[in-house]
Amino acid sequence: IRGCRARLARHFRVMNAIAPALPDIAIAEMPAWLIGELRSDHAGETGAVMIYRGILAFCKDPAIRDFAERHGATEQGHLDLLNALLPPEAHSKLLPIWRIAGWMTGAIPALFGPRAVYATIDAVESFVDHHYQQQLDRLEAEALFPPLQALLRHCQEEEIHHRDEAREAGEGRAYGPLLGAWAWVVGTGSK
């Protein structure tokens, strides 16, 4: 737990260092593809916050609750930064759907136990890692917005940590057919 608290403290230190540079990035200066990607990131972080709320709504296991509370706080931090970066009119018009889908994506596996929760987080975060990497590759190739690159890289690192912690706690990715099918649905839905 000490390592997790240290990681959460590091999250807030890094975010506090990056956040002041973000208001300098005007949305009017951003290419359309980047606004679309950030809209997608915002929707994804909204869904992620709701996944953890869905888990907490049904899970009584103290270890899972701790996992969900810690990672939910990190996801809320990501969402807060994206809210500061994107004006409300640039948000997805489908946010109500993403909130419900996220909550259900957390609540359903919480009813089936820790392994299902961990498999869900592994599937979601595996997609998120690739999604952030695609954005970083393009931003780096076009030499755009270094503070934004730093923010996305930091978010990606934290998402990778969530995935790896879930994978380790869930004892790897050796799922049976039902859990494997669920992980596929969650990964595909995340895309």
Side-chain angles (χ1 to χ4, degrees):
I1 290 181
R2 187 171 2 132
C4 295
R5 287 191 181 130
R7 186 175 300 280
L8 197 55
R10 179 182 175 276
H11 161 79
F12 289 110
R13 279 194 310 275
V14 170
M15 291 303 189
N16 287 334
I18 295 169
L22 294 178
D24 295 336
I25 302 171
I27 196 162
E29 298 171 9
M30 293 182 192
W33 72 263
L34 181 56
I35 294 169
E37 290 292 345
L38 292 174
R39 180 179 299 117
S40 174
D41 294 342
H42 180 268
E45 296 296 350
T46 298
V49 167
M50 296 308 294
I51 286 171
Y52 289 109
R53 288 183 186 171
I55 292 168
L56 290 168
F58 289 102
C59 188
K60 303 294 184 227
D61 183 308
I64 298 291
R65 292 189 65 78
D66 176 66
F67 175 89
E69 287 167 357
R70 285 183 292 107
H71 294 301
T74 302
E75 301 293 2
Q76 184 63 57
H78 296 173
L79 181 58
D80 292 345
L81 284 165
L82 287 164
N83 273 326
L85 186 62
L86 280 179
E89 61 272 10
H91 295 178
S92 170
K93 304 296 185 242
L94 302 176
L95 282 178
I97 293 170
W98 304 142
R99 286 185 183 103
I100 293 167
W103 192 86
M104 295 296 293
T105 300
I108 291 169
L111 295 171
F112 291 93
R115 192 152 161 80
V117 168
Y118 292 134
T120 300
I121 300 305
D122 184 351
V124 169
E125 300 298 12
S126 292
F127 162 74
V128 173
D129 171 27
H130 296 292
H131 183 68
Y132 275 131
Q133 189 60 53
Q134 290 172 334
Q135 293 171 57
L136 285 166
D137 290 345
R138 187 156 181 193
L139 284 166
E140 289 170 6
E142 296 184 23
L144 293 174
F145 308 113
L148 182 57
Q149 288 182 44
L151 169 71
L152 295 178
R153 190 170 294 106
H154 178 71
C155 291
Q156 179 190 34
E157 289 170 3
E158 291 184 327
E159 305 294 2
I160 289 169
H161 170 71
H162 294 183
R163 180 202 62 207
D164 292 349
E165 185 178 340
R167 194 172 287 172
E168 182 179 323
E171 301 171 11
R173 298 180 81 178
Y175 308 138
L178 188 58
L179 191 50
W182 171 254
W184 179 85
V185 167
V186 169
T188 301
S190 295
K191 291 176 189 174

